[in-house]
Amino acid sequence: MTSPHATHRAWLATALRRDVMTCRPGKHKRILFSSLIALSLGAGTSQATDWVTTRSSSPEIVKPAPEQVTLQVQNPPSFAWPRHASYPAQYVVEILPAEGTASTHTVSRNFLLPSSALPPGNYEWRVSPLSTSPDWSNKRPFTIDSNSRTFVVPESSELAATVRAHPRPRQLPASFAQASAWDAAMNSKRRPFLNRLVSEVNLNTTAVASIHDGLWTQPNDSGQYNRIANAAGAVIRQMEAAALLFRLTQERRYLDEAILRGDQLAALNPEGPTSYKAQDQVARMIALVLAKGADFLWLDLDAPRRAHWLSVAAQRLTPIYADLSIAGGRLDQSPMDSHGVEALGYLAATSTLLLDARPEAQAWFNFAVRSYMHIVHVWSGPEGGFANGSAYGQYTTDMQMQLWQPLAEATGVSLFNKPWTAGFSNYFMQFIPPNAPRHVFGDVHESKPDPALLKAYVARQATPAAAWYSNQPGAQENPITLLQAPYPLPADTVAPEAPPNAMLFPSIGWAAMHSDISNAARTSVYFKSSPFGAFNHSHGDQNSLVINSGNKPLLIEAGYQDYYASPLSKSWYRQSRAHNAITFDGGKGQLVAGHYETRYKNGKITAFTHGTDLDYVEGDASAAYSNDLSLARRQVWYSRQNDVVVVLDKLTSATARTFEWNIHALNTLYLYPNGRASIENGTASLCLQSLRPDEEQLSGFSAPNPPLEASQQHAAYVKTSPAMAAEFLIVLDIGCKSVPTSLQPVSGGRLLQIGTQTITLPQ
C-alpha cells in the first residue's frame, strides 16, 4: 500500500506533468521540471541498490519504463527494463494499485505489454527474474487517469486468430470495393487519386526498367547501395501499384504488369547485391512487396508462382529474424537502432501476411508483432516526437504508412491509435506547420518537407487539429496508401480547428512557439535542448534556436549533409558552431564525437510556459559541453504581442573562456556597430540587438556552403575578454520593427521593457 506522503507526491507530480502537456493560453505559471524530478527522487521505496538502475546505467541499454512519477498517456503502459545479470531468464512483473490487489505477469523477454487496460488510479510496478529467490527491483510509481488513452494489444494467439479469420486479401478492409461500385461521395473523394495511379502505372510500364542481379557487382559500395535502392524501389512501387489497380479495376493489363514485376523481384538472389547483409532496406522491401502482391492477387496467381513469391519472401525474412532474435531479441536490450526497429516492423507486417502460408511465419509473427507495437516509439517518450530530427521523422512516416495499414487491417490493432502516434502527429503540426520552408534539427535539416506525406500521416488521427492540418491546400497523399485506407479517413470525420500556438515535447527536449499557427505568414520559433544529445542523426545543437517568418528561414541551421558521418559532417555540419548556439575559444562546442556516449552529453528543458501574449522556455545544456563548462543555461522569451524573441545565456567554467553566440542566415547578414545585426530573406527580416554590446565584438566568419543553395552567412557575438562567467542578452526583433526596448535593474533582478510588455529577468 502506498503511504499518504507517497500518494501526495504522486498526485502533485501528476498535476505538474498534466500542466506540461496541456498548457493553454492564459496559463502564465512557470512549469519547473526540477520540481518534478525532485518529487520523483523522493518516490518509491528506499531500497539501497536497485539492479534495474544499475543494469541500465550504460547509454545503449534500455531504460526502465514507466520511470518514477509519471502520468501515462497510454493505458496500459508499456513496461520495459534491462536484463538481469542472470539472463537468460523469465521475469515476473508485479503491478500494485494504491488500493486493491496486485496483478502479476510472467514474461520471457524484458518487456511487458499488458493485454487489458488498467482502471484509473495510482500504481507501482516492480520486476524480478522468475526464481525461488526473487530479486525485486525498486517499486516505480505511475498514474492512469481519464486522460490516458486506451491502446490494448491482445496476446499473440488472439492476434493470430484474428489474422486467420480475415479473408484474403488480408491487407484490405472489408469495405474495400472496386471503383465501379463507389458511391458518389467516395467517388468524389477518391477518383482523382485513382486517376493519378492509373497514369503513373501506365507511364511506368515502359519507363521503369527491368532489374536483375547482373546490373550490380559485389560488394556494394555507397554509390551502388543507392543505385540499388533507386532501381529496385521503382520496381517495388510499380508492382504494388499495379496489383492494387487490378483489385480496383479488374483490368487484365494491371495483373500482367504486377506479375511481370513480381517475377523480376522474385528472381533476385536473396544472397546477392540485394541481400539483407548488402542492402538491408531493399531486402526487407522486397520481402514485404512479394507478400503483399501474393495477398492482393491470391486467387489470381497460379499456385506455383504464388508459392514461389511466398518462398522468396520467407527467404528474405530469414536473415532479418536471425539478426533481430539474437540473444532472444537484441532490441529488447539495446533499442536505439533505427534500422533494427524498422526491420522489426517489416518482419511484423510481412509475417502477418505470410501466416499459414509459410511454416516459419508463426514464429516470426510471435516474435515480432507485439514487440514492434511495444517498441515503435524508441526515438521519444510515449507522448510522441522524434529526437532524430524532423527530416528523419518524415522518412519514418513513409515507412509506417506502408506497414501500419496492412498490420491494422489484418490484426485488428491500428498503430495509428497508439497515443505516441497522436503525439507524433502533433510534433509535425508544430515543427513542420503548413508552408514550413525547411526541416528542423538533426541530419538533413536543410531539406524541404514533403507536405503530402505529412498530411497523409496526420489524417489518420480523428482530431480537430489533424483535420485542420491534413486539409491544407497543396500536394496530396500517395494514391497507393490512400486507395488502401478505410473510407472516410479519420480526420475527415471531425470539424477542423488549428492546434495551440505553442507546444513542448519534454522527452525529446523540443519546444515550438508560433505567432499564429493558423496564419500562413506566421513566425515560428524553435528551441531544442535534448536528452538524446548528439546521438545518431542528432547534432551538437542543445540550447539552439531556429526562427522562420513569412515562410522564409531567418535564423537557420548551417551546413548540409553530403553523406552520413562524412568528414564534412563531423567537422562542421554537426558541430555546435554550425547552429545558433554557444561555443567558446574559437568555435569549440558540445560533444559530437563517438556513439552511445553522446547520449549522456546532452541537454534538457527545465521550464516551459505558454500564454496568450508571452511564451517562455528554458534549457540546460551544461552536460553537452562535457567537462568544459559547468553551466550553460539559455532562457528564451517569445513576445507574441510584439513578435520579439529575447534570449538570455548564463555560462560558467572553471577555466577562463572566450564565449561566442553564433548566428547563421541565408543570403544576407549585415553587421553594425554597438551589437546590432540584421538578416534579410526576401520580404522577411530579423534584427538582433545585444544588450551587453560593450563586452562583445560582432564579427563574421566563413564556412562550407551547401551546393545549389543561396550563400549562407555566419557571424558571432564574441566576448572581448576571457572570463570564467559570462552573460549574453540578445533581443531579436522579427520584421525589424524597431520596437522600443529598455532594461532597468530592480531588487533581485531586472525589468526588460519590450514595447508595452514587461519581462522580468533574473540578476
Side-chain angles (χ1 to χ4, degrees), residues 49-82:
T49 58
D50 175 29
W51 65 265
V52 165
T53 300
T54 302
R55 298 285 293 176
S56 62
S57 60
S58 297
E60 74 273 17
I61 301 301
V62 66
K63 302 301 179 279
E67 174 69 316
Q68 302 301 347
V69 188
T70 51
L71 171 65
Q72 296 303 294
V73 297
Q74 179 178 303
N75 182 14
S78 288
F79 297 82
W81 58 93

PDB file of all heavy atoms in Angstrom, residues 49-82:
ATOM      1  N   THR A  49      20.047  -0.492  -3.162  1.00  0.00           N
ATOM      2  CA  THR A  49      20.520  -0.809  -4.507  1.00  0.00           C
ATOM      3  C   THR A  49      19.363  -1.340  -5.330  1.00  0.00           C
ATOM      4  O   THR A  49      18.465  -2.006  -4.814  1.00  0.00           O
ATOM      5  CB  THR A  49      21.634  -1.867  -4.461  1.00  0.00           C
ATOM      6  OG1 THR A  49      21.143  -3.048  -3.810  1.00  0.00           O
ATOM      7  CG2 THR A  49      22.833  -1.329  -3.690  1.00  0.00           C
ATOM      8  N   ASP A  50      19.401  -1.029  -6.579  1.00  0.00           N
ATOM      9  CA  ASP A  50      18.320  -1.423  -7.484  1.00  0.00           C
ATOM     10  C   ASP A  50      18.969  -1.962  -8.758  1.00  0.00           C
ATOM     11  O   ASP A  50      19.604  -1.210  -9.500  1.00  0.00           O
ATOM     12  CB  ASP A  50      17.438  -0.210  -7.783  1.00  0.00           C
ATOM     13  CG  ASP A  50      16.356  -0.516  -8.812  1.00  0.00           C
ATOM     14  OD1 ASP A  50      15.917  -1.669  -8.890  1.00  0.00           O
ATOM     15  OD2 ASP A  50      15.954   0.422  -9.538  1.00  0.00           O
ATOM     16  N   TRP A  51      18.824  -3.242  -9.019  1.00  0.00           N
ATOM     17  CA  TRP A  51      19.514  -3.828 -10.164  1.00  0.00           C
ATOM     18  C   TRP A  51      19.041  -3.229 -11.475  1.00  0.00           C
ATOM     19  O   TRP A  51      19.819  -3.137 -12.438  1.00  0.00           O
ATOM     20  CB  TRP A  51      19.372  -5.354 -10.167  1.00  0.00           C
ATOM     21  CG  TRP A  51      17.983  -5.902 -10.353  1.00  0.00           C
ATOM     22  CD1 TRP A  51      17.120  -6.280  -9.388  1.00  0.00           C
ATOM     23  CD2 TRP A  51      17.334  -6.159 -11.603  1.00  0.00           C
ATOM     24  NE1 TRP A  51      15.939  -6.752  -9.948  1.00  0.00           N
ATOM     25  CE2 TRP A  51      16.058  -6.697 -11.304  1.00  0.00           C
ATOM     26  CE3 TRP A  51      17.686  -5.993 -12.938  1.00  0.00           C
ATOM     27  CZ2 TRP A  51      15.137  -7.056 -12.288  1.00  0.00           C
ATOM     28  CZ3 TRP A  51      16.779  -6.350 -13.932  1.00  0.00           C
ATOM     29  CH2 TRP A  51      15.523  -6.878 -13.596  1.00  0.00           C
ATOM     30  N   VAL A  52      17.791  -2.775 -11.548  1.00  0.00           N
ATOM     31  CA  VAL A  52      17.296  -2.152 -12.779  1.00  0.00           C
ATOM     32  C   VAL A  52      18.065  -0.866 -13.064  1.00  0.00           C
ATOM     33  O   VAL A  52      18.493  -0.615 -14.198  1.00  0.00           O
ATOM     34  CB  VAL A  52      15.782  -1.882 -12.670  1.00  0.00           C
ATOM     35  CG1 VAL A  52      15.321  -0.918 -13.753  1.00  0.00           C
ATOM     36  CG2 VAL A  52      15.004  -3.190 -12.767  1.00  0.00           C
ATOM     37  N   THR A  53      18.266  -0.050 -12.049  1.00  0.00           N
ATOM     38  CA  THR A  53      19.029   1.188 -12.225  1.00  0.00           C
ATOM     39  C   THR A  53      20.476   0.889 -12.595  1.00  0.00           C
ATOM     40  O   THR A  53      21.049   1.498 -13.507  1.00  0.00           O
ATOM     41  CB  THR A  53      18.976   2.025 -10.946  1.00  0.00           C
ATOM     42  OG1 THR A  53      17.614   2.342 -10.650  1.00  0.00           O
ATOM     43  CG2 THR A  53      19.775   3.301 -11.089  1.00  0.00           C
ATOM     44  N   THR A  54      21.072  -0.050 -11.890  1.00  0.00           N
ATOM     45  CA  THR A  54      22.470  -0.396 -12.144  1.00  0.00           C
ATOM     46  C   THR A  54      22.661  -0.948 -13.543  1.00  0.00           C
ATOM     47  O   THR A  54      23.582  -0.551 -14.276  1.00  0.00           O
ATOM     48  CB  THR A  54      22.953  -1.427 -11.108  1.00  0.00           C
ATOM     49  OG1 THR A  54      22.797  -0.881  -9.800  1.00  0.00           O
ATOM     50  CG2 THR A  54      24.405  -1.791 -11.339  1.00  0.00           C
ATOM     51  N   ARG A  55      21.778  -1.845 -13.953  1.00  0.00           N
ATOM     52  CA  ARG A  55      21.929  -2.513 -15.248  1.00  0.00           C
ATOM     53  C   ARG A  55      21.633  -1.571 -16.418  1.00  0.00           C
ATOM     54  O   ARG A  55      22.055  -1.834 -17.533  1.00  0.00           O
ATOM     55  CB  ARG A  55      21.013  -3.725 -15.314  1.00  0.00           C
ATOM     56  CG  ARG A  55      21.298  -4.806 -14.279  1.00  0.00           C
ATOM     57  CD  ARG A  55      22.531  -5.615 -14.607  1.00  0.00           C
ATOM     58  NE  ARG A  55      22.353  -6.424 -15.800  1.00  0.00           N
ATOM     59  CZ  ARG A  55      23.303  -7.169 -16.346  1.00  0.00           C
ATOM     60  NH1 ARG A  55      24.513  -7.203 -15.796  1.00  0.00           N
ATOM     61  NH2 ARG A  55      23.079  -7.885 -17.426  1.00  0.00           N
ATOM     62  N   SER A  56      20.901  -0.475 -16.186  1.00  0.00           N
ATOM     63  CA  SER A  56      20.557   0.447 -17.276  1.00  0.00           C
ATOM     64  C   SER A  56      21.457   1.670 -17.311  1.00  0.00           C
ATOM     65  O   SER A  56      21.157   2.642 -18.000  1.00  0.00           O
ATOM     66  CB  SER A  56      19.100   0.902 -17.140  1.00  0.00           C
ATOM     67  OG  SER A  56      18.906   1.615 -15.929  1.00  0.00           O
ATOM     68  N   SER A  57      22.573   1.629 -16.553  1.00  0.00           N
ATOM     69  CA  SER A  57      23.438   2.802 -16.475  1.00  0.00           C
ATOM     70  C   SER A  57      24.197   3.071 -17.767  1.00  0.00           C
ATOM     71  O   SER A  57      24.563   4.207 -18.047  1.00  0.00           O
ATOM     72  CB  SER A  57      24.429   2.639 -15.316  1.00  0.00           C
ATOM     73  OG  SER A  57      25.238   1.485 -15.503  1.00  0.00           O
ATOM     74  N   SER A  58      24.438   2.055 -18.588  1.00  0.00           N
ATOM     75  CA  SER A  58      25.112   2.261 -19.874  1.00  0.00           C
ATOM     76  C   SER A  58      24.157   2.928 -20.851  1.00  0.00           C
ATOM     77  O   SER A  58      22.965   2.578 -20.902  1.00  0.00           O
ATOM     78  CB  SER A  58      25.599   0.931 -20.448  1.00  0.00           C
ATOM     79  OG  SER A  58      26.569   0.346 -19.602  1.00  0.00           O
ATOM     80  N   PRO A  59      24.624   3.883 -21.665  1.00  0.00           N
ATOM     81  CA  PRO A  59      23.703   4.659 -22.505  1.00  0.00           C
ATOM     82  C   PRO A  59      22.990   3.849 -23.568  1.00  0.00           C
ATOM     83  O   PRO A  59      21.928   4.251 -24.042  1.00  0.00           O
ATOM     84  CB  PRO A  59      24.618   5.715 -23.139  1.00  0.00           C
ATOM     85  CG  PRO A  59      25.993   5.176 -23.017  1.00  0.00           C
ATOM     86  CD  PRO A  59      26.016   4.360 -21.773  1.00  0.00           C
ATOM     87  N   GLU A  60      23.547   2.698 -23.981  1.00  0.00           N
ATOM     88  CA  GLU A  60      22.883   1.918 -25.029  1.00  0.00           C
ATOM     89  C   GLU A  60      21.800   0.994 -24.498  1.00  0.00           C
ATOM     90  O   GLU A  60      21.013   0.436 -25.276  1.00  0.00           O
ATOM     91  CB  GLU A  60      23.917   1.091 -25.804  1.00  0.00           C
ATOM     92  CG  GLU A  60      24.465  -0.125 -25.061  1.00  0.00           C
ATOM     93  CD  GLU A  60      25.647   0.178 -24.174  1.00  0.00           C
ATOM     94  OE1 GLU A  60      25.866   1.379 -23.861  1.00  0.00           O
ATOM     95  OE2 GLU A  60      26.365  -0.761 -23.799  1.00  0.00           O
ATOM     96  N   ILE A  61      21.727   0.819 -23.182  1.00  0.00           N
ATOM     97  CA  ILE A  61      20.810  -0.157 -22.590  1.00  0.00           C
ATOM     98  C   ILE A  61      19.442   0.473 -22.366  1.00  0.00           C
ATOM     99  O   ILE A  61      19.325   1.644 -22.004  1.00  0.00           O
ATOM    100  CB  ILE A  61      21.384  -0.691 -21.259  1.00  0.00           C
ATOM    101  CG1 ILE A  61      22.751  -1.340 -21.498  1.00  0.00           C
ATOM    102  CG2 ILE A  61      20.435  -1.691 -20.607  1.00  0.00           C
ATOM    103  CD1 ILE A  61      22.743  -2.488 -22.463  1.00  0.00           C
ATOM    104  N   VAL A  62      18.405  -0.321 -22.561  1.00  0.00           N
ATOM    105  CA  VAL A  62      17.033   0.145 -22.375  1.00  0.00           C
ATOM    106  C   VAL A  62      16.846   0.695 -20.971  1.00  0.00           C
ATOM    107  O   VAL A  62      17.364   0.159 -19.994  1.00  0.00           O
ATOM    108  CB  VAL A  62      16.036  -0.998 -22.668  1.00  0.00           C
ATOM    109  CG1 VAL A  62      16.162  -2.132 -21.650  1.00  0.00           C
ATOM    110  CG2 VAL A  62      14.610  -0.469 -22.714  1.00  0.00           C
ATOM    111  N   LYS A  63      16.109   1.779 -20.866  1.00  0.00           N
ATOM    112  CA  LYS A  63      15.843   2.400 -19.579  1.00  0.00           C
ATOM    113  C   LYS A  63      14.506   1.890 -19.026  1.00  0.00           C
ATOM    114  O   LYS A  63      13.598   1.554 -19.787  1.00  0.00           O
ATOM    115  CB  LYS A  63      15.797   3.926 -19.711  1.00  0.00           C
ATOM    116  CG  LYS A  63      17.082   4.523 -20.278  1.00  0.00           C
ATOM    117  CD  LYS A  63      18.291   4.199 -19.412  1.00  0.00           C
ATOM    118  CE  LYS A  63      19.577   4.764 -19.977  1.00  0.00           C
ATOM    119  NZ  LYS A  63      20.144   3.935 -21.038  1.00  0.00           N
ATOM    120  N   PRO A  64      14.378   1.821 -17.691  1.00  0.00           N
ATOM    121  CA  PRO A  64      13.119   1.342 -17.124  1.00  0.00           C
ATOM    122  C   PRO A  64      11.965   2.274 -17.472  1.00  0.00           C
ATOM    123  O   PRO A  64      12.124   3.498 -17.490  1.00  0.00           O
ATOM    124  CB  PRO A  64      13.391   1.325 -15.622  1.00  0.00           C
ATOM    125  CG  PRO A  64      14.523   2.282 -15.416  1.00  0.00           C
ATOM    126  CD  PRO A  64      15.355   2.199 -16.657  1.00  0.00           C
ATOM    127  N   ALA A  65      10.827   1.690 -17.752  1.00  0.00           N
ATOM    128  CA  ALA A  65       9.629   2.466 -18.078  1.00  0.00           C
ATOM    129  C   ALA A  65       8.392   1.662 -17.665  1.00  0.00           C
ATOM    130  O   ALA A  65       8.371   0.449 -17.862  1.00  0.00           O
ATOM    131  CB  ALA A  65       9.576   2.766 -19.576  1.00  0.00           C
ATOM    132  N   PRO A  66       7.394   2.336 -17.104  1.00  0.00           N
ATOM    133  CA  PRO A  66       7.382   3.738 -16.694  1.00  0.00           C
ATOM    134  C   PRO A  66       8.384   3.997 -15.577  1.00  0.00           C
ATOM    135  O   PRO A  66       8.587   3.139 -14.723  1.00  0.00           O
ATOM    136  CB  PRO A  66       5.957   3.960 -16.196  1.00  0.00           C
ATOM    137  CG  PRO A  66       5.154   2.802 -16.697  1.00  0.00           C
ATOM    138  CD  PRO A  66       6.105   1.667 -16.833  1.00  0.00           C
ATOM    139  N   GLU A  67       8.977   5.177 -15.601  1.00  0.00           N
ATOM    140  CA  GLU A  67      10.016   5.511 -14.631  1.00  0.00           C
ATOM    141  C   GLU A  67       9.538   6.630 -13.720  1.00  0.00           C
ATOM    142  O   GLU A  67       9.132   7.696 -14.184  1.00  0.00           O
ATOM    143  CB  GLU A  67      11.291   5.940 -15.364  1.00  0.00           C
ATOM    144  CG  GLU A  67      12.395   6.454 -14.464  1.00  0.00           C
ATOM    145  CD  GLU A  67      13.032   5.375 -13.589  1.00  0.00           C
ATOM    146  OE1 GLU A  67      12.274   4.566 -13.017  1.00  0.00           O
ATOM    147  OE2 GLU A  67      14.270   5.342 -13.473  1.00  0.00           O
ATOM    148  N   GLN A  68       9.564   6.385 -12.428  1.00  0.00           N
ATOM    149  CA  GLN A  68       9.234   7.360 -11.405  1.00  0.00           C
ATOM    150  C   GLN A  68       7.801   7.864 -11.572  1.00  0.00           C
ATOM    151  O   GLN A  68       6.946   7.151 -12.083  1.00  0.00           O
ATOM    152  CB  GLN A  68      10.263   8.486 -11.411  1.00  0.00           C
ATOM    153  CG  GLN A  68      11.688   8.001 -11.176  1.00  0.00           C
ATOM    154  CD  GLN A  68      11.878   7.273  -9.834  1.00  0.00           C
ATOM    155  OE1 GLN A  68      11.035   7.324  -8.964  1.00  0.00           O
ATOM    156  NE2 GLN A  68      13.003   6.595  -9.685  1.00  0.00           N
ATOM    157  N   VAL A  69       7.534   9.101 -11.137  1.00  0.00           N
ATOM    158  CA  VAL A  69       6.154   9.571 -11.022  1.00  0.00           C
ATOM    159  C   VAL A  69       5.714  10.163 -12.355  1.00  0.00           C
ATOM    160  O   VAL A  69       5.974  11.324 -12.645  1.00  0.00           O
ATOM    161  CB  VAL A  69       6.028  10.618  -9.906  1.00  0.00           C
ATOM    162  CG1 VAL A  69       4.565  10.958  -9.662  1.00  0.00           C
ATOM    163  CG2 VAL A  69       6.665  10.095  -8.632  1.00  0.00           C
ATOM    164  N   THR A  70       5.069   9.384 -13.183  1.00  0.00           N
ATOM    165  CA  THR A  70       4.651   9.880 -14.483  1.00  0.00           C
ATOM    166  C   THR A  70       3.212   9.496 -14.768  1.00  0.00           C
ATOM    167  O   THR A  70       2.799   8.358 -14.551  1.00  0.00           O
ATOM    168  CB  THR A  70       5.546   9.332 -15.612  1.00  0.00           C
ATOM    169  OG1 THR A  70       5.627   7.904 -15.496  1.00  0.00           O
ATOM    170  CG2 THR A  70       6.939   9.930 -15.532  1.00  0.00           C
ATOM    171  N   LEU A  71       2.473  10.455 -15.285  1.00  0.00           N
ATOM    172  CA  LEU A  71       1.131  10.193 -15.782  1.00  0.00           C
ATOM    173  C   LEU A  71       1.262   9.524 -17.145  1.00  0.00           C
ATOM    174  O   LEU A  71       1.916  10.056 -18.041  1.00  0.00           O
ATOM    175  CB  LEU A  71       0.346  11.501 -15.907  1.00  0.00           C
ATOM    176  CG  LEU A  71      -1.011  11.409 -16.610  1.00  0.00           C
ATOM    177  CD1 LEU A  71      -1.971  10.540 -15.808  1.00  0.00           C
ATOM    178  CD2 LEU A  71      -1.594  12.794 -16.831  1.00  0.00           C
ATOM    179  N   GLN A  72       0.659   8.383 -17.305  1.00  0.00           N
ATOM    180  CA  GLN A  72       0.805   7.615 -18.535  1.00  0.00           C
ATOM    181  C   GLN A  72      -0.187   8.083 -19.604  1.00  0.00           C
ATOM    182  O   GLN A  72      -1.381   8.173 -19.349  1.00  0.00           O
ATOM    183  CB  GLN A  72       0.599   6.134 -18.248  1.00  0.00           C
ATOM    184  CG  GLN A  72       1.639   5.540 -17.311  1.00  0.00           C
ATOM    185  CD  GLN A  72       3.037   5.736 -17.846  1.00  0.00           C
ATOM    186  OE1 GLN A  72       3.401   5.188 -18.869  1.00  0.00           O
ATOM    187  NE2 GLN A  72       3.838   6.539 -17.152  1.00  0.00           N
ATOM    188  N   VAL A  73       0.334   8.373 -20.797  1.00  0.00           N
ATOM    189  CA  VAL A  73      -0.552   8.738 -21.895  1.00  0.00           C
ATOM    190  C   VAL A  73      -1.206   7.502 -22.491  1.00  0.00           C
ATOM    191  O   VAL A  73      -2.247   7.603 -23.134  1.00  0.00           O
ATOM    192  CB  VAL A  73       0.206   9.525 -22.986  1.00  0.00           C
ATOM    193  CG1 VAL A  73       0.738  10.834 -22.437  1.00  0.00           C
ATOM    194  CG2 VAL A  73       1.331   8.699 -23.583  1.00  0.00           C
ATOM    195  N   GLN A  74      -0.615   6.335 -22.290  1.00  0.00           N
ATOM    196  CA  GLN A  74      -1.149   5.088 -22.845  1.00  0.00           C
ATOM    197  C   GLN A  74      -1.624   4.188 -21.714  1.00  0.00           C
ATOM    198  O   GLN A  74      -0.961   4.013 -20.713  1.00  0.00           O
ATOM    199  CB  GLN A  74      -0.078   4.363 -23.658  1.00  0.00           C
ATOM    200  CG  GLN A  74      -0.526   3.037 -24.250  1.00  0.00           C
ATOM    201  CD  GLN A  74       0.552   2.387 -25.096  1.00  0.00           C
ATOM    202  OE1 GLN A  74       1.050   2.984 -26.045  1.00  0.00           O
ATOM    203  NE2 GLN A  74       0.914   1.152 -24.767  1.00  0.00           N
ATOM    204  N   ASN A  75      -2.794   3.587 -21.910  1.00  0.00           N
ATOM    205  CA  ASN A  75      -3.352   2.634 -20.953  1.00  0.00           C
ATOM    206  C   ASN A  75      -3.715   1.342 -21.682  1.00  0.00           C
ATOM    207  O   ASN A  75      -4.567   1.352 -22.555  1.00  0.00           O
ATOM    208  CB  ASN A  75      -4.608   3.221 -20.299  1.00  0.00           C
ATOM    209  CG  ASN A  75      -5.203   2.287 -19.258  1.00  0.00           C
ATOM    210  OD1 ASN A  75      -4.584   1.330 -18.824  1.00  0.00           O
ATOM    211  ND2 ASN A  75      -6.437   2.568 -18.874  1.00  0.00           N
ATOM    212  N   PRO A  76      -3.047   0.208 -21.337  1.00  0.00           N
ATOM    213  CA  PRO A  76      -1.995   0.065 -20.339  1.00  0.00           C
ATOM    214  C   PRO A  76      -0.660   0.571 -20.882  1.00  0.00           C
ATOM    215  O   PRO A  76      -0.432   0.545 -22.089  1.00  0.00           O
ATOM    216  CB  PRO A  76      -1.946  -1.443 -20.113  1.00  0.00           C
ATOM    217  CG  PRO A  76      -2.309  -2.010 -21.449  1.00  0.00           C
ATOM    218  CD  PRO A  76      -3.363  -1.085 -21.998  1.00  0.00           C
ATOM    219  N   PRO A  77       0.219   1.024 -19.986  1.00  0.00           N
ATOM    220  CA  PRO A  77       1.538   1.448 -20.456  1.00  0.00           C
ATOM    221  C   PRO A  77       2.377   0.255 -20.895  1.00  0.00           C
ATOM    222  O   PRO A  77       2.091  -0.888 -20.543  1.00  0.00           O
ATOM    223  CB  PRO A  77       2.147   2.124 -19.222  1.00  0.00           C
ATOM    224  CG  PRO A  77       1.437   1.513 -18.068  1.00  0.00           C
ATOM    225  CD  PRO A  77       0.054   1.178 -18.530  1.00  0.00           C
ATOM    226  N   SER A  78       3.392   0.542 -21.680  1.00  0.00           N
ATOM    227  CA  SER A  78       4.409  -0.465 -21.999  1.00  0.00           C
ATOM    228  C   SER A  78       5.468  -0.450 -20.901  1.00  0.00           C
ATOM    229  O   SER A  78       5.987   0.610 -20.562  1.00  0.00           O
ATOM    230  CB  SER A  78       5.063  -0.163 -23.349  1.00  0.00           C
ATOM    231  OG  SER A  78       4.193  -0.431 -24.418  1.00  0.00           O
ATOM    232  N   PHE A  79       5.768  -1.617 -20.362  1.00  0.00           N
ATOM    233  CA  PHE A  79       6.785  -1.743 -19.323  1.00  0.00           C
ATOM    234  C   PHE A  79       8.070  -2.283 -19.951  1.00  0.00           C
ATOM    235  O   PHE A  79       8.028  -3.175 -20.799  1.00  0.00           O
ATOM    236  CB  PHE A  79       6.314  -2.703 -18.225  1.00  0.00           C
ATOM    237  CG  PHE A  79       5.093  -2.233 -17.482  1.00  0.00           C
ATOM    238  CD1 PHE A  79       3.824  -2.437 -17.997  1.00  0.00           C
ATOM    239  CD2 PHE A  79       5.217  -1.580 -16.261  1.00  0.00           C
ATOM    240  CE1 PHE A  79       2.693  -2.007 -17.317  1.00  0.00           C
ATOM    241  CE2 PHE A  79       4.099  -1.151 -15.573  1.00  0.00           C
ATOM    242  CZ  PHE A  79       2.832  -1.359 -16.095  1.00  0.00           C
ATOM    243  N   ALA A  80       9.196  -1.748 -19.520  1.00  0.00           N
ATOM    244  CA  ALA A  80      10.490  -2.213 -20.021  1.00  0.00           C
ATOM    245  C   ALA A  80      11.520  -2.095 -18.916  1.00  0.00           C
ATOM    246  O   ALA A  80      11.391  -1.262 -18.008  1.00  0.00           O
ATOM    247  CB  ALA A  80      10.921  -1.396 -21.238  1.00  0.00           C
ATOM    248  N   TRP A  81      12.555  -2.909 -18.998  1.00  0.00           N
ATOM    249  CA  TRP A  81      13.640  -2.905 -18.014  1.00  0.00           C
ATOM    250  C   TRP A  81      14.853  -3.596 -18.629  1.00  0.00           C
ATOM    251  O   TRP A  81      14.714  -4.367 -19.583  1.00  0.00           O
ATOM    252  CB  TRP A  81      13.202  -3.626 -16.724  1.00  0.00           C
ATOM    253  CG  TRP A  81      12.774  -5.055 -16.965  1.00  0.00           C
ATOM    254  CD1 TRP A  81      13.540  -6.175 -16.888  1.00  0.00           C
ATOM    255  CD2 TRP A  81      11.461  -5.498 -17.362  1.00  0.00           C
ATOM    256  NE1 TRP A  81      12.800  -7.285 -17.194  1.00  0.00           N
ATOM    257  CE2 TRP A  81      11.508  -6.902 -17.495  1.00  0.00           C
ATOM    258  CE3 TRP A  81      10.240  -4.849 -17.614  1.00  0.00           C
ATOM    259  CZ2 TRP A  81      10.408  -7.665 -17.870  1.00  0.00           C
ATOM    260  CZ3 TRP A  81       9.143  -5.605 -17.992  1.00  0.00           C
ATOM    261  CH2 TRP A  81       9.229  -6.999 -18.113  1.00  0.00           C
ATOM    262  N   PRO A  82      16.040  -3.323 -18.130  1.00  0.00           N
ATOM    263  CA  PRO A  82      17.224  -4.017 -18.651  1.00  0.00           C
ATOM    264  C   PRO A  82      17.253  -5.463 -18.181  1.00  0.00           C
ATOM    265  O   PRO A  82      16.606  -5.831 -17.193  1.00  0.00           O
ATOM    266  CB  PRO A  82      18.382  -3.219 -18.044  1.00  0.00           C
ATOM    267  CG  PRO A  82      17.821  -2.672 -16.783  1.00  0.00           C
ATOM    268  CD  PRO A  82      16.373  -2.357 -17.075  1.00  0.00           C
TER     269      PRO A  82
END
